[in-house]
Amino acid sequence: MLHRYPKRVYILMLVFTAALIIYPLWGPAVFGAQSDFMLEKLTLMLILALFAMSLDLLVGIVGLVSLGHALFFGLGAYTLALTSPDFSPASMWWMMPLVMVVSALMALVVGFLVIRTKGIFFIMTTLAFGQMLYYFVNTSQHTGGTDGVFIMFRPSLMVGDTTLIDLDNPLTFFYFCMGMVFVGYLFLRWLTRSYYGQVLDGIHDNEHRMQALGYATTGYKLIAFVISGVMASIAGMLAAMQYGFANPAQLGWHTSGEVLMMLILGGMGTIFGPILGAFAYEILQHTYEHITPHWPILMGLTIIVAVLVLPKGIGGLIIDPPTRKQLQDGLVPRRWRTKAASKKPAAVVSDSRED
């Protein structure tokens, strides 16, 4: 895990952020009548970027691969849907803390039960808990069953009678989601560079050695699990605000699989990589959907190629781009290079015979 990035990373992310900020200037010119639709897609990409960053804390930083992270994403969405008033908007001042508290309690319970497992057992236990909540929501009448729960009003952000941020405005909500991603990124950067983050780094590299040094690694991992779950629930709340409903699909294993693919595509342990991975995944999916109805096949092939060509993801490619020599070596098969190196020039052979 890197604590300092090359300057090109900051420059690229600043350019990327600036392009998103000025979208109202270039969006209509590029997309025309579909600029409003693309604004919604960009908002979704930001929400998924926050979701992917939350998973990166577990997978890339701690080294715990979870296949049930959608549990917290859907929990945030359902907490908003089930606690929102029917005829008036909820206040964001109490809604967001409520979502964070509910998800923190759930993550504390689930994490306490699964954090002692490792490897494939951790993957399967997180998947099991996610599917348990999925089937409960899918079959319960109180949660709307397969239809889900509709949200009539987005939460409001007001002081008295004055509206601070109009979240009903799509452009304002877009900037609000961008601000949440920015805060989440700064928080994770601070966390990973702190003493606690260094301990997580040590746990990722060699947990047994950290235990031998006297660290209670279970507690450190449990705290990271809770933080990751809270961040994922905030992303789920934003997703429910975006589309106005919460449904069981947000809790399913395929949602966990998709965010894991975003993380792999963007680069694990880089923090900024999941942001790029979420955007790249959604752009590829949107493109493939317009090419063929069998777009999941193309998406699967793309992920396979990305894993083979970019094992460290987009973020890893930006941090450590290949040199010209590495590219040239990569174009020549290794067996050819070995044979060529083992052969002697003809002049050397003839000289040796004369001797």
Side-chain angles (χ1 to χ4, degrees):
M1 179 176 59
L2 293 176
H3 297 292
R4 291 185 179 181
Y5 298 141
K7 291 183 179 180
R8 57 180 171 270
V9 173
Y10 297 103
I11 294 174
L12 177 63
M13 295 307 295
L14 285 175
V15 172
F16 181 71
T17 304
L20 291 177
I21 292 175
I22 63 174
Y23 174 81
L25 299 179
W26 59 268
V30 175
F31 301 109
Q34 293 186 339
S35 60
D36 292 338
F37 170 76
M38 292 307 301
L39 180 64
E40 294 184 0
K41 291 294 292 184
L42 289 175
T43 305
L44 176 62
M45 293 176 190
L46 289 170
I47 295 171
L48 293 176
L50 181 61
F51 187 24
M53 279 196 301
S54 69
L55 183 60
D56 193 29
L57 177 60
L58 281 183
V59 179
I61 297 175
V62 185
L64 298 173
V65 181
S66 173
L67 200 55
H69 208 55
L71 181 154
F72 304 105
F73 185 77
L75 183 64
Y78 270 95
T79 301
L80 171 65
L82 295 176
T83 58
S84 294
D86 294 330
F87 304 104
S88 63
S91 174
M92 186 63 77
W93 297 114
W94 62 264
M95 179 56 70
M96 183 172 291
L98 177 63
V99 170
M100 296 174 67
V101 169
V102 171
S103 60
L105 292 176
M106 177 64 77
L108 189 63
V109 174
V110 175
F112 179 79
L113 297 174
V114 306
I115 209 68
R116 291 173 174 79
T117 60
K118 298 179 181 179
I120 188 64
F121 302 103
F122 182 84
I123 296 175
M124 296 309 297
T125 51
T126 53
L127 174 62
F129 275 101
Q131 290 302 105
M132 285 168 59
L133 185 60
Y134 167 78
Y135 284 112
F136 172 78
V137 170
N138 196 46
T139 57
S140 176
Q141 297 180 354
H142 301 287
T143 57
T146 57
D147 295 330
V149 182
F150 287 91
I151 304 170
M152 303 306 297
F153 301 94
R154 284 183 180 177
S156 61
L157 195 57
M158 304 176 63
V159 175
D161 296 331
T162 304
T163 301
L164 295 180
I165 301 177
D166 185 12
L167 298 178
D168 290 326
N169 186 302
L171 183 60
T172 305
F173 185 66
F174 167 74
Y175 287 128
F176 180 77
C177 292
M178 187 185 301
M180 296 299 296
V181 173
F182 184 69
V183 171
Y185 172 80
L186 291 181
F187 173 73
L188 288 181
R189 282 293 292 166
W190 168 81
L191 186 70
T192 54
R193 300 179 70 174
S194 65
Y195 174 80
Y196 174 74
Q198 294 176 12
V199 175
L200 294 181
D201 195 9
I203 293 173
H204 188 186
D205 293 339
N206 194 323
E207 184 176 357
H208 294 294
R209 181 175 296 177
M210 297 300 293
Q211 291 174 343
L213 291 174
Y215 290 95
T217 58
T218 301
Y220 283 94
K221 292 191 295 183
L222 180 59
I223 294 174
F225 191 88
V226 172
I227 294 174
S228 178
V230 170
M231 291 184 63
S233 69
I234 294 176
M237 180 192 69
L238 295 176
M241 293 172 61
Q242 166 77 351
Y243 292 108
F245 66 88
N247 62 10
Q250 296 169 319
L251 292 158
W253 65 268
H254 61 279
T255 302
S256 299
E258 287 180 355
V259 71
L260 187 58
M261 286 190 288
M262 295 175 193
L263 184 58
I264 295 173
L265 186 61
M268 296 180 290
T270 58
I271 303 178
F272 74 92
I275 301 175
L276 301 178
F279 275 78
Y281 183 89
E282 285 297 310
I283 291 173
L284 289 173
Q285 179 176 325
H286 180 73
T287 303
Y288 292 158
E289 285 177 346
H290 288 76
I291 295 176
T292 173
H294 306 291
W295 61 267
I297 298 177
L298 294 178
M299 182 61 70
L301 293 175
T302 302
I303 297 298
I304 293 174
V305 172
V307 171
L308 295 176
V309 178
L310 300 174
K312 296 182 180 180
I314 301 174
L317 179 64
I318 297 173
I319 293 174
D320 187 19
T323 61
R324 180 180 299 180
K325 184 178 183 302
Q326 290 174 335
L327 290 175
Q328 291 175 349
D329 292 342
L331 294 177
V332 181
R334 181 176 298 177
R335 62 180 183 275
W336 294 0
R337 297 199 302 269
T338 304
K339 292 180 180 178
S342 62
K343 292 182 178 179
K344 294 182 180 181
V348 176
V349 174
S350 60
D351 293 341
S352 61
R353 289 178 179 176
E354 293 176 357
D355 296 337

